[in-house]
Amino acid sequence: MQPIYQPKDIEINAQQHWDIRNTFRATETSGKPKYYCLSMFPYPSGKLHMGHVRNYTIGDVLSRYHRMKGYNVMQPMGWDAFGLPAENAALANNVPPAAWTYSNIEHMKQQLKSLGLGIDWAREITTCKPEYYRWEQWLFTRLFKKGIIYKKTASVNWDPMDQTVLANEQVIDGCGWRSGAPVEKRDIPMYFFRITQYADELLQGLDTLPGWPEQVKTMQVNWIGKSHGCEIYFPHDMETVGSGGMLKVYTTRPDTLMGATYVAVAAEHPLARRAAEISEKNELANFIAECKRGGTAEADVATMEKKGMDTGLFVRHPVTGEKLPIWIANYVLMGYGEGAVMAVPAHDERDFEFATKYNLPVKHVIASGELLDVWKKLEAQFEADGYELNREDLDTMGMFAYLSIVLMDLPTPSEALIEAVHEFAAQLQLESPNTQYGTLVCSGNYSGMDFQEAFDAISTYLTAMGLGKKRSQFRLRDWGISRQRYWGCPIPIIHCFTCGDVPVPDEQLPVVLPEQVAITGAGSPLAKMPEFYMTTCPQCGKAAKRETDTMDTFVESSWYYARYASPDCATGMVDERARHWLPVDQYIGGIEHAILHLLYARFFHKLMRDEGLVQGDEPFKNLLTQGMVIAPTFYREDAGKKMWINPADVDVKTDDRGRPVGATLRADGQTVIIGGTEKMAKSKNNGVDPQAIIDQYGADTARLFIMFAAPPDQQLEWSDAGVEGAFRFLKRVWNFANAYENDLHTGIQCMRTNANPVEWKAATKQTLDFRRQVHLLLKQANYDLCKQQFNTVVSACMKLSNLLESNLPSMVSSEDIATYGLVSVKEAQWYAFSEAFSILLRLLSPIAPHITQTLWQELGYGDDILTAPWPEVDEAALEQDEIELVIQVNGKLRGNLRVAKDTDNAALERFALAHEAVQKQLEGGTPKKIIVVPGRLINVVT
RNA sequence: GCCGGGAUGGCGGAAUUGGUAGACGCGCUGGACUCAAAAUCCAGUGUCUGUGAGGAUGUGAGGGUUCGAGUCCCUCUCCCGGCACCA
């Protein structure tokens, strides 16, 4: 055994040990229950980052743990290889995206291997290879024929200078990232997946996923956004816009219909366009053009200043027939609902803001709480004074406007009436809308109804009149997958002048993406390659043009989990092995994928199910969403510009209590400014290269630190000092094994010769106590592993190590020997000692596999720790006669009490009252009551 | 703006789900070893107060429920993730 812990040697040896034996090759014929453990595959950006290390370590810990628990584990790995960064790299360094991607994969694969991950590399998938994407194209053609994929126009970011479509990421402050020109919205034809057809199933399916975090399910529920409401038709005079003379809106608040004071349409709405056409002035056309400015990202649209313009046109209120103005508003989204809303400023935030800005009327029609009370009082006072409220005026003018004139018209209003009006006016919130449900007021026949009654009554009326109906609505939109980019999977469609859009026939698949191209940054290279796009129509044989758009890279990542089951299948997307491995038992990935990727993959699973390719409704049984890795930032200011400095080049000074007081750049000793702790990113230069950590301390240390520093679902703050702490711990374990090699051997012999554990009753109290603590720690660790809280598992290992160091086997007193005899005392002690160390090694092995494998083998526990059974708690070891209780007075800790474990409550109360500290607190008085929590505490209440 | 999450010592975090707040680790302070340093080992370490035993106080802020609240409820502040063409 090496005297000094040298991670480099032992890690290479351990990895070879597993390589030679093909340990991680997963087969379908093991006879054990399967466990498919999948970590989200990386985009091959060039180098592994800390987020990857965290993700794959979590996956590997779960894989190794389950393997030792007796499962047939499959842990695959692959590359999400298509995407924008490859094209950016091509522009910056003049390398073809394919070559750049393949060389990145080569490097990152070596890095992953050095982490010691138990991956079945025979199942490796690379999405930019035709063997993979041909099946995606195959499925596309099936779905196109079924109508699940269709074509329509949609808005994209357009850079007018570079004449190219931009990703949201490439739009910075409303301008193109390269040209700097203001971005516009442009409508282009695109292919869409009809995901909305599966909206209800995607929603309901969430209820069948108890192994998913609640927060992810909630986010998906809200994203799908099923709402119940009404569509309502507002008649107008614009017959020419093809809407049958009706403006259709959708609302979840039909109860507020009587409070609608205007309607608003999106700039792209046909009515807006029509209004601009017939208007004599250019204002409307200019405003619509202005709305075209800026990108398409929802966050930008939603934070924009609310702007609008009156079209000069009107609709009729479907109940009152009143004329309501039609406005064009930039806060109305064409993509949601009908691209038009009825505006109820009194009861909607955005409508209120808009109405206030443009001085549109506000009509209160919902009252609740005190407002409702004072309104009823006011109505009653009018009646008492013998006046009649003009309901019609009230309904058209709104309460506030009506009341402000009505008092003037009354000849002799009573004091009580004036007071009631003032009281009401004070309650009426004029500065903010009331968006809560309540009772309808000033709503004609509907006054007095609650939300549900009004909802039903109004929708019934609208249905009867042909002016609307109840309907539910999803926020989810169909998934547009066309990208005007090169480095992606070609869309397998041929455009024929006679036959239209024709899917590429199976025998012509795959449509191979040419790998030698010139990237210019303006437009798609494929559209400039006749050798790619010139073809013939598969149906009529005439000359035709191949589609040059590629697919959203989310399409590849939506089904890769299924391909891992049969990565080499040349006859279909998947084969019968998918039935064996799916669903994925544990999926692990970043929380940033909570919505899009996970929703698309669930959708794809259902598409594949409906094609008869896979079974079951959901692809991922259990989900673990890991938090991000963050690190401190440092910078210097130079002419107002921040120059970010990497944490690795900075020394932080602290005061004598460890508080940071300043930082200097190591190179020149000059001061740098300490910034916030942020997500590791190139832009803040605060990334820590995992390779440097692995090279210096070894993979086990990197893995141990990353698992110890935070629970997996929380964000993790990087700390170099913490890494050293992790290394120190592993060194301690190594040194301990070295120092007590002989004792451990002796103990292992005792474990071997005692098939049934030694007679523990012959052991000393000290040994029994030691063993109880060991098994208590094991119990805690096993509990935490079930919770997937790995940081406290590491903590348990450290405690176990501390415990071992303070309970060395040579410490047997002469009294013990006299009582029990030397052989049995020693034997029990050695047994407990070696058992404890074997528990430590096994608990630690999923996290730090190399050092534990090496020690397991060298100490003679066995040949391969992965084949050792997972340690289970010996419940008998936990038993004890005495327990410690806490004594509280009024909930405050005042003392402890050791009692026999079966002491009854009455006795406990007596002991507590007799306790010195309790006596002192009581000062001779008697307690009001005593609360006894069995096994925990006694609280004396005075 | 909307949706989701978070906030506990100098720092990362723990707290068996309403029952001893600060486990474990880092850092820091003191000591041992050493010619010296590193490494290692031992002790201490929330804050205030007290010579001490002890006492008070303390989980982002403010209120509430409870014998008892880091944990439950209400209001607020700040930070992070997502927002459909980054992956």
Side-chain angles (χ1 to χ4, degrees):
Chain A
M1 204 167 171
Q2 284 179 357
I4 294 166
Y5 173 49
Q6 283 170 326
K8 209 158 250 165
D9 297 345
I10 68 164
E11 288 180 6
I12 288 171
N13 287 340
Q15 284 165 20
Q16 274 176 358
H17 174 94
W18 292 312
D19 272 353
I20 291 163
R21 287 163 182 78
N22 256 326
T23 305
F24 302 113
R25 185 81 185 88
T27 63
E28 291 78 26
T29 52
S30 69
K32 295 181 202 165
K34 65 101 185 175
Y35 183 79
Y36 179 2
C37 184
L38 180 65
S39 295
M40 289 182 187
F41 63 168
Y43 176 79
S45 55
K47 281 200 290 191
L48 227 51
H49 58 67
M50 281 300 170
H52 292 133
V53 175
R54 192 177 195 194
N55 198 165
Y56 305 134
T57 303
I58 294 169
D60 201 42
V61 168
L62 287 165
S63 292
R64 288 173 183 268
Y65 168 63
H66 281 86
R67 175 182 282 267
M68 290 170 76
K69 282 281 225 180
Y71 288 90
N72 177 33
V73 173
M74 194 255 278
Q75 186 178 215
M77 185 55 72
W79 310 96
D80 188 14
F82 277 136
L84 200 53
E87 292 184 48
N88 296 342
L91 274 174
N93 313 321
N94 206 22
V95 273
W100 183 82
T101 304
Y102 289 127
S103 94
N104 286 350
I105 288 175
E106 209 39 58
H107 182 235
M108 290 172 76
K109 190 170 171 180
Q110 290 317 309
Q111 289 192 298
L112 285 178
K113 287 192 166 175
S114 74
L115 269 175
L117 304 172
I119 286 167
D120 180 358
W121 283 104
R123 292 173 188 267
E124 184 178 358
I125 282 171
T126 307
T127 59
C128 64
K129 290 188 173 172
E131 308 90 275
Y132 182 79
Y133 66 69
R134 73 169 291 178
W135 297 111
E136 192 167 305
Q137 293 174 335
W138 175 86
L139 184 67
F140 185 103
T141 60
R142 293 292 176 292
L143 297 172
F144 184 77
K145 287 176 202 156
K146 269 170 108 175
I148 299 284
I149 292 174
Y150 66 98
K151 196 172 171 183
K152 71 168 180 185
T153 60
S155 272
V156 292
N157 303 308
W158 180 255
D159 186 324
M161 194 101 91
D162 277 351
Q163 292 284 299
T164 196
V165 177
L166 296 179
N168 282 339
E169 192 193 45
Q170 297 171 315
V171 179
I172 295 147
D173 296 329
C175 297
W177 66 320
R178 300 181 72 220
S179 70
V183 166
E184 300 165 3
K185 296 183 192 75
R186 172 173 282 212
D187 290 338
I188 57 162
M190 302 211 292
Y191 290 95
F192 281 80
F193 275 83
R194 223 180 275 280
I195 191 171
T196 50
Q197 194 172 307
Y198 286 75
D200 256 319
E201 204 198 331
L202 286 165
L203 185 63
Q204 280 156 24
L206 293 169
D207 291 335
T208 67
L209 297 170
W212 279 42
E214 283 306 319
Q215 64 157 304
V216 174
K217 287 191 276 186
T218 307
M219 281 193 262
Q220 292 215 351
V221 167
N222 293 338
W223 184 262
I224 295 167
K226 186 173 188 173
S227 66
H228 300 277
C230 276
E231 59 180 44
I232 302 179
Y233 318 136
F234 289 75
H236 59 74
D237 304 329
M238 301 288 107
E239 291 295 348
T240 47
V241 293
S243 55
M246 298 283 189
L247 175 69
K248 198 196 269 187
V249 306
Y250 174 79
T251 178
T252 55
R253 292 296 301 272
D255 60 316
T256 64
L257 176 60
M258 304 309 283
T261 56
Y262 66 100
V263 293
V265 298
E268 300 88 355
H269 195 279
L271 255 185
R273 233 176 299 151
R274 182 69 191 135
E277 278 165 25
I278 61 175
S279 168
E280 277 152 31
K281 285 178 263 175
N282 288 331
E283 276 181 333
L284 279 176
N286 291 345
F287 181 69
I288 292 172
E290 195 189 318
C291 290
K292 282 253 165 205
R293 268 189 237 139
T296 58
E298 198 193 307
D300 297 334
V301 176
T303 47
M304 238 168 17
E305 190 195 349
K306 287 175 187 45
K307 280 188 186 170
M309 190 169 277
D310 191 352
T311 59
L313 305 174
F314 293 91
V315 291
R316 294 271 171 193
H317 191 285
V319 177
T320 63
E322 190 191 346
K323 274 171 87 176
L324 302 179
I326 304 175
W327 281 67
I328 302 174
N330 67 354
Y331 73 90
V332 181
L333 302 175
M334 197 57 212
Y336 181 72
E338 305 295 338
V341 298
M342 69 171 199
V344 187
H347 306 293
D348 180 275
E349 293 282 355
R350 288 174 311 176
D351 297 345
F352 183 83
E353 196 186 317
F354 193 84
T356 309
K357 180 167 179 176
Y358 292 105
N359 236 335
L360 290 156
V362 178
K363 269 170 71 177
H364 294 262
V365 293
I366 306 289
S368 55
E370 272 190 64
L371 180 66
L372 186 61
D373 295 341
V374 293
W375 171 250
K376 281 183 176 158
K377 195 169 147 192
L378 183 61
E379 278 183 314
Q381 193 60 49
F382 262 92
E383 207 175 313
D385 287 9
Y387 297 119
E388 206 170 303
L389 281 168
N390 184 330
R391 297 285 170 181
E392 213 166 293
D393 282 357
L394 195 51
D395 290 356
T396 39
M397 295 169 73
M399 297 194 244
F400 190 74
Y402 175 74
L403 287 169
S404 44
I405 61 159
V406 79
L407 275 189
M408 286 190 275
D409 288 354
L410 298 178
T412 49
S414 69
E415 287 291 323
L417 185 58
I418 293 171
E419 199 192 314
V421 169
H422 284 146
E423 200 184 345
F424 173 75
Q427 270 298 319
L428 195 61
Q429 293 278 317
L430 295 174
E431 288 79 33
S432 63
N434 170 22
T435 57
Q436 284 166 353
Y437 290 163
T439 302
L440 274 69
V441 292
C442 305
S443 298
N445 296 337
Y446 306 110
S447 294
M449 292 183 178
D450 67 14
F451 170 78
Q452 198 56 53
E453 287 169 332
F455 192 122
D456 293 337
I458 288 173
S459 59
T460 305
Y461 168 82
L462 292 172
T463 310
M465 301 298 287
L467 289 170
K469 62 181 178 202
K470 263 190 199 175
R471 138 163 112 76
S472 57
Q473 162 84 27
F474 292 98
R475 205 189 75 99
L476 182 69
R477 307 200 292 262
D478 276 340
W479 175 17
I481 54 128
S482 293
R483 298 290 179 268
Q484 299 66 48
R485 273 182 245 301
Y486 157 69
W487 191 233
C489 169
I491 291 177
I493 290 284
I494 291 166
H495 303 288
C496 171
F497 287 109
T498 20
C499 310
D501 290 0
V502 181
V504 176
D506 290 359
E507 63 276 13
Q508 289 180 26
L509 291 177
V511 178
V512 176
L513 183 73
E515 294 199 347
Q516 290 299 322
V517 289
I519 307 282
T520 63
S524 166
L526 294 180
K528 296 171 206 151
M529 294 173 74
E531 66 274 30
F532 176 79
Y533 65 73
M534 278 173 60
T535 184
T536 52
C537 173
Q539 270 174 30
C540 68
K542 284 188 217 151
K545 188 168 179 269
R546 193 182 291 289
E547 172 67 53
T548 57
D549 280 359
T550 53
M551 285 190 228
D552 182 359
T553 55
F554 271 125
V555 179
E556 284 88 60
S557 56
S558 290
W559 67 283
Y560 77 111
Y561 65 89
R563 183 71 185 174
Y564 279 134
S566 44
D568 51 0
C569 175
T571 52
M573 275 185 108
V574 292
D575 61 25
E576 69 285 349
R577 285 171 286 175
R579 196 166 301 173
H580 180 264
W581 290 111
L582 293 179
V584 172
D585 293 281
Q586 180 67 60
Y587 196 30
I588 305 129
I591 183 68
E592 66 272 20
H593 296 292
I595 295 172
L596 291 179
H597 163 62
L598 287 168
L599 192 67
Y600 292 149
R602 293 181 58 221
F603 169 54
F604 244 73
H605 194 81
K606 294 169 201 301
L607 293 178
M608 289 168 73
R609 174 201 63 194
D610 292 348
E611 286 293 322
L613 298 165
V614 295
Q615 294 183 309
D617 298 324
E618 292 287 340
F620 312 121
K621 200 170 160 197
N622 295 292
L623 175 69
L624 193 162
T625 47
Q626 112 214 6
M628 287 186 318
V629 183
I630 59 174
T633 59
F634 301 95
Y635 63 92
R636 271 181 183 164
E637 260 174 321
D638 187 23
K641 222 184 151 188
K642 284 178 180 172
M643 314 284 289
W644 298 94
I645 297 163
N646 196 275
D649 303 327
V650 172
D651 287 320
V652 177
K653 288 204 174 62
T654 57
D655 65 11
D656 61 4
R657 286 169 79 173
R659 284 180 284 228
V661 288
T664 54
L665 182 64
R666 196 165 306 129
D668 60 11
Q670 300 296 303
T671 309
V672 297
I673 303 163
I674 303 176
T677 304
E678 298 183 45
K679 176 179 172 176
M680 281 191 185
K682 277 196 189 120
S683 62
K684 296 285 167 70
N685 191 17
N686 65 338
V688 178
D689 186 0
Q691 198 58 52
I693 306 294
I694 296 168
D695 292 345
Q696 192 180 347
Y697 299 102
D700 281 343
T701 295
R703 295 169 58 124
L704 182 74
F705 170 72
I706 219 156
M707 298 310 280
F708 181 52
D713 53 356
Q714 256 177 54
Q715 59 179 15
L716 181 147
E717 191 172 324
W718 187 262
S719 140
D720 289 334
V723 175
E724 293 214 32
F727 182 64
R728 208 175 295 163
F729 171 66
L730 292 180
K731 233 175 355 182
R732 256 166 86 159
V733 173
W734 184 270
N735 292 342
F736 185 86
N738 250 289
Y740 298 99
E741 197 176 353
N742 291 335
D743 297 286
L744 288 165
H745 275 308
T746 313
I748 292 166
Q749 285 310 313
C750 295
M751 289 170 78
R752 289 238 170 80
T753 51
N754 290 281
N756 297 313
V758 284
E759 291 282 307
W760 291 112
K761 57 190 167 199
T764 61
K765 189 174 178 303
Q766 191 195 9
T767 300
L768 290 176
D769 224 46
F770 167 74
R771 195 161 179 270
R772 192 175 58 80
Q773 290 177 64
V774 168
H775 280 263
L776 217 50
L777 285 170
L778 175 59
K779 189 172 186 173
Q780 183 67 52
N782 279 341
Y783 176 79
D784 289 344
L785 271 165
C786 289
K787 282 200 303 182
Q788 300 180 333
Q789 184 171 297
F790 308 112
N791 55 330
T792 47
V793 175
V794 175
S795 163
C797 290
M798 289 171 168
K799 288 179 190 173
L800 205 44
S801 162
N802 292 343
L803 193 64
L804 271 158
E805 284 177 354
S806 51
N807 286 274
L808 300 175
S810 51
M811 286 154 60
V812 179
S813 71
S814 49
E815 274 172 55
D816 290 335
I817 293 167
T819 316
Y820 303 106
L822 182 63
V823 174
S824 61
V825 166
K826 277 275 182 195
E827 207 168 64
Q829 206 168 41
W830 269 316
Y831 186 110
F833 181 70
S834 289
E835 181 198 43
F837 198 68
S838 87
I839 289 171
L840 170 60
L841 288 181
R842 282 178 289 168
L843 275 182
L844 194 58
S845 69
I847 296 163
H850 308 94
I851 184 175
T852 46
Q853 160 63 19
T854 307
L855 291 178
W856 189 260
Q857 211 173 6
E858 297 215 5
L859 290 170
Y861 280 111
D863 183 48
D864 194 333
I865 197 165
L866 276 167
T867 59
W870 190 256
E872 297 298 342
V873 176
D874 179 0
E875 292 292 338
L878 300 178
E879 277 174 24
Q880 56 177 344
D881 308 329
E882 281 195 326
I883 50 169
E884 190 150 302
L885 295 177
V886 163
I887 297 179
Q888 294 181 337
V889 177
N890 293 327
K892 280 199 174 132
L893 175 70
R894 294 296 172 188
N896 295 311
L897 190 63
R898 271 197 87 80
V899 293
K901 87 178 162 197
D902 45 10
T903 313
D904 63 33
N905 286 3
L908 288 176
E909 288 184 17
R910 273 202 314 281
F911 288 142
L913 287 176
H915 196 276
E916 187 188 356
V918 176
Q919 288 289 320
K920 196 174 151 196
Q921 292 291 325
L922 281 175
E923 289 170 333
T926 49
K928 273 195 202 128
K929 62 174 163 177
I930 301 173
I931 290 158
V932 177
V933 182
R936 259 186 212 286
L937 58 79
I938 306 154
N939 187 14
V940 180
V941 185
T942 59

